[in-house]
Amino acid sequence: MELDPAGAELRSVLNRLRRAQGQIAGVIRMIEEGRDCEEVVTQLAAASRALDRAGFAIIATGLQQCLVAADDGGEAQADREQLRARLEKLFLSLA
């Protein structure tokens, strides 16, 4: 299952990941500056949530592609089951 970065869903994911990248850079700066622990943890939690949401969005996109392929008859039943199992494993890795 390959991702199409031109899709609207994945553009949104890329934006979310870029924001998380900026938040993580900010957390590093905050630690280097000796900022308050509560502020650092708050920013770190925000970055973590952004990464989780990006992961879930990627999995949702994969599920949507699976449903479209299943409707088109593009994949054999065994292939669909294998892909479903892989997506389930990915989903659980984020949970």
Side-chain angles (χ1 to χ4, degrees):
M1 172 182 60
E2 293 185 22
L3 298 173
D4 175 17
E9 302 89 6
L10 291 182
R11 281 195 305 271
S12 172
V13 168
L14 288 172
N15 287 337
R16 189 180 305 264
L17 289 172
R18 286 185 183 103
R19 267 194 312 276
Q21 184 178 31
Q23 288 172 318
I24 291 169
V27 168
I28 292 169
R29 257 190 327 277
M30 292 171 78
I31 291 171
E32 290 173 343
E33 294 169 357
R35 300 276 294 273
D36 180 66
C37 178
E38 188 175 341
E39 292 175 22
V40 172
V41 171
T42 299
Q43 286 303 310
L44 192 56
S48 179
R49 281 191 304 275
L51 291 173
D52 287 344
R53 287 183 182 145
F56 287 126
I58 290 170
I59 292 170
T61 299
L63 288 171
Q64 182 179 14
Q65 290 173 357
C66 286
L67 292 173
V68 169
D71 287 344
D72 292 343
E75 293 185 24
Q77 180 67 27
D79 292 338
R80 286 194 303 261
E81 286 299 317
Q82 184 181 32
L83 185 55
R84 187 204 59 78
R86 286 179 24 221
L87 287 168
E88 181 179 345
K89 184 177 178 182
L90 286 172
F91 179 79
L92 292 173
S93 74
L94 291 173

